[in-house]
Amino acid sequence: MANLKEVRNRITSVSSTQQITKAMKMVSAAKLKRATNAILQLRPYANKLRDILADVSASVEGSNSPFTLDREPNKVLIVVVSSNRGLAGAFNANVIKATNNLIANKYAEQHAKGNLSIIGIGKKGYDFFSKRNFNVVANHSDLFSDLNFGSVSVVTEFIMEQFKEGNFDRVEVVYNQFKNAAVQELTAEQILPLLPAEENKQHTHKAKIEAEVDYIIEPSKEKIIEELIPKAIKIQLYKAVSDSNASEHGARMTAMDKATENAGDLLKSLKLSYNQARQAAITTELTEIVSGAAALSNG
């Protein structure tokens, strides 16, 4: 009977857990829909802004912007975009692992000299690196409570100011790029200094050979570039955070779906064990009764 009670308690516990995971899956599915809409609407704008910047830059010799100055990366900042909560599979562990690999493979020298800093966007990444004595200069876990361009721009402006003053020579962001609910692609992007991507270089070369896009530019190309570069940097970080936000909800929805499925399988196994134990207990009781009756009749 003690075994029966134990199995019964486990069945109750697993059933409660299954209800929780099912509810979390539904919540994540609703949040994923909103986050997906946001990132899918942002990407065309970000890509078009990048293309315009490449097109306009093609006809301007050099740039006076402090944000395109490519210095020796003696002091490096890495922006780690994770989540505030767990129960999202390997979502946070993968970001942390990718950041550690980036440091070990690319910035080991700067880290050894104490010239590597980290900004945490998301509590999980911040907690991991702050507990391991990394130079964590800021924590912006509150961004996900009301994710919008303005709040992320405040972080970007701080980073841009630090870069302009020479406190950082290079800034990279590590995040999960959203592909679909089941697939997130780990990405490390350089956001400062702003350098043309390879595809932009090809695009620029093509623009020089063929013809410039017919933009009407006021007051001047130089002024437009001066305005576009900070905007492009802000959009780049905002897109990374939005991508990570959608990826988090996709990862959590997938993890909770799998947990719900596993709970169902475990319940089947426990109910089978319960019925077998109950049958064994009943058989034992019947055997004892029959034995007792036989003993009495013989007596």
Side-chain angles (χ1 to χ4, degrees):
M1 292 305 292
N3 187 41
L4 275 175
K5 186 178 179 182
E6 181 184 336
V7 175
R8 198 159 50 232
N9 288 341
R10 286 195 66 192
I11 289 173
T12 303
S13 175
V14 173
S15 296
S16 299
T17 302
Q18 187 183 44
Q19 289 178 346
I20 293 169
T21 56
K22 194 180 292 184
M24 290 183 70
K25 175 194 168 185
M26 293 173 66
V27 170
S28 292
K31 289 182 176 180
L32 175 63
K33 180 66 177 173
R34 292 195 297 270
T36 304
N37 289 339
I39 189 61
L40 291 180
Q41 290 171 9
L42 176 63
R43 278 177 183 165
Y45 175 78
N47 293 337
K48 190 63 180 176
L49 180 64
R50 182 190 60 200
D51 291 343
I52 291 172
L53 186 60
D55 287 333
V56 177
S57 299
S59 57
V60 177
E61 293 300 324
S63 172
N64 294 323
S65 173
F67 305 119
T68 59
L69 186 60
D70 191 13
R71 302 188 290 259
E72 187 71 24
N74 295 318
K75 291 181 248 181
V76 177
L77 172 69
I78 298 177
V79 182
V80 183
V81 187
S82 59
S83 72
N84 289 338
R85 297 184 296 129
L87 298 178
F91 176 83
N92 291 304
N94 286 341
V95 171
I96 291 167
K97 183 180 178 181
T99 305
N100 282 328
N101 288 340
L102 179 67
I103 294 169
N105 298 331
K106 197 173 179 181
Y107 300 119
E109 185 180 341
Q110 290 85 340
H111 179 47
K113 292 179 179 177
N115 290 336
L116 186 135
S117 303
I118 286 176
I119 285 181
I121 297 180
K123 188 173 183 295
K124 293 297 181 179
Y126 168 77
D127 287 348
F128 179 89
F129 288 104
S130 60
K131 288 175 182 176
R132 285 160 179 79
N133 299 321
F134 281 81
N135 181 29
V136 182
V137 296
N139 173 29
H140 296 284
S141 303
D142 57 326
L143 285 181
F144 292 112
S145 59
D146 182 23
L147 183 58
N148 58 72
F149 179 71
S151 59
V152 178
S153 291
V154 172
V155 181
T156 315
E157 285 167 3
F158 167 78
I159 294 171
M160 289 162 65
E161 189 62 32
Q162 292 295 307
F163 180 84
K164 190 196 283 188
E165 291 176 2
N167 294 328
F168 303 124
D169 301 312
R170 183 170 294 173
V171 181
E172 295 207 28
V173 57
V174 182
Y175 66 99
N176 278 290
Q177 189 177 74
F178 179 77
K179 295 297 181 184
N180 56 55
V183 179
Q184 301 84 37
E185 185 179 319
L186 278 166
T187 306
E189 286 180 358
Q190 179 178 317
I191 58 175
L192 281 170
L194 185 66
L195 300 174
E198 200 61 37
E199 59 194 77
N200 281 356
K201 290 179 182 178
Q202 295 169 3
H203 189 116
T204 301
H205 181 65
K206 183 180 177 181
K208 285 180 178 179
I209 294 174
E210 294 178 357
E212 293 181 12
V213 178
D214 188 19
Y215 293 119
I216 299 173
I217 297 175
E218 292 290 344
S220 67
K221 290 180 180 179
E222 291 78 7
K223 184 67 176 175
I224 291 297
I225 291 175
E226 186 181 328
E227 294 289 333
L228 280 181
I229 286 175
K231 183 82 169 175
I233 296 167
K234 290 178 182 179
I235 287 292
Q236 190 176 357
L237 185 59
Y238 179 54
K239 185 173 78 69
V241 177
S242 298
D243 254 315
S244 182
N245 186 45
S247 297
E248 176 196 347
H249 295 311
R252 182 168 290 110
M253 187 186 79
T254 303
M256 291 302 100
D257 180 55
K258 192 65 180 174
T260 302
E261 185 182 319
N262 289 343
D265 292 341
L266 185 56
L267 276 174
K268 287 180 185 177
S269 176
L270 285 171
K271 284 175 181 177
L272 180 62
S273 298
Y274 177 78
N275 289 333
Q276 288 174 340
R278 186 165 167 267
Q279 186 179 28
I282 291 170
T283 303
T284 301
E285 287 180 6
L286 286 173
T287 302
E288 289 174 352
I289 290 169
V290 170
S291 299
L296 286 172
S297 63
N298 290 335

